[in-house]
Amino acid sequence: MALRNLVLEGDPLLRKTSRPVDEITPRIIKLLDDMADTMYFEGRGIGIAAPQVGVLRRVFVIDVGDEHGKIEFINPEIIETSGSQTDNEGCLSVPGKTCAVERPEYVKIKATDRDGNEFELEAEGLLARCICHENDHLNGILFIDKSVDGKVYKAGDDDEE
Ligand code: ZN
């Protein structure tokens, strides 16, 4: 198990656009493993994107605790969205803060897994929310940019993404 240091709000790395992965090298596999370890550390997170550990690659890992378990996304692309939902979000890179963000209720996403196989996934509710949140990280966007009332609050004990 290897933990990586989290990049925190204020670091310009979080505002950059990540580059696609051209080849799934042992380095990318190690990145995926370390990202999951960092996400699960003390049960803190339900999702983590590569820029949050300082790597500007289009990769994220999610585990919202549903039947899917851990899902790894390489070069993800959201190909369909519908509906809307509004709920509080948090982020491992924005500790202690929360705000309500509007997201699609449903998303369909295409990505590559660690074996190089392309897959599609349909998600609703929390999983759809988490996918949108992590995908935003790859484009330098943080949830606090999207607060429905323009304000950011001190967080309670909610799960952080
Ligand atoms: Zn986040």
Side-chain angles (χ1 to χ4, degrees):
M1 157 156 165
L3 297 177
R4 301 229 181 168
N5 289 324
L6 283 169
V7 175
L8 299 179
E9 187 203 356
D11 190 314
L13 271 183
L14 287 177
R15 295 307 187 172
K16 303 237 187 279
T17 300
S18 293
R19 286 177 299 139
V21 172
D22 348 284
E23 198 191 344
I24 301 169
T25 58
R27 227 181 138 98
I28 295 292
I29 300 297
K30 176 87 169 81
L31 171 67
L32 286 163
D33 289 341
D34 291 354
M35 282 170 62
D37 288 343
T38 306
M39 174 181 78
Y40 289 129
F41 184 60
E42 292 175 357
R44 288 184 303 178
I46 59 174
I48 190 168
Q52 293 184 270
V53 295
V55 179
L56 293 175
R57 290 295 186 160
R58 301 192 81 79
V59 172
F60 58 74
V61 177
I62 285 176
D63 185 346
V64 297
D66 66 2
E67 71 279 8
H68 294 287
K70 180 179 77 179
I71 320 172
E72 298 170 334
F73 301 80
I74 299 169
N75 297 339
E77 233 182 288
I78 293 173
I79 49 180
E80 204 181 312
T81 65
S82 69
S84 98
Q85 55 169 324
T86 301
D87 206 347
N88 286 329
E89 295 191 10
C91 180
L92 291 172
S93 294
V94 192
K97 292 184 183 172
T98 187
C99 65
V101 178
E102 186 180 359
R103 303 284 191 186
E105 172 59 27
Y106 164 91
V107 305
K108 188 194 240 185
I109 184 167
K110 185 173 81 173
T112 300
D113 68 17
R114 64 163 64 205
D115 300 316
N117 300 312
E118 213 175 77
F119 66 96
E120 277 187 12
L121 178 75
E122 292 181 287
E124 291 176 2
L126 180 61
L127 182 55
R129 165 175 300 282
C130 195
I131 285 170
C132 294
H133 176 116
E134 302 311 332
N135 198 64
D136 275 353
H137 275 299
L138 307 185
N139 299 318
I141 298 164
L142 297 177
F143 77 101
I144 48 177
D145 305 343
K146 296 186 161 179
S147 172
V148 289
D149 64 3
K151 293 181 189 149
V152 177
Y153 299 88
K154 198 168 170 290
D157 295 321
D158 288 331
D159 285 334
E160 295 180 355
E161 289 159 26

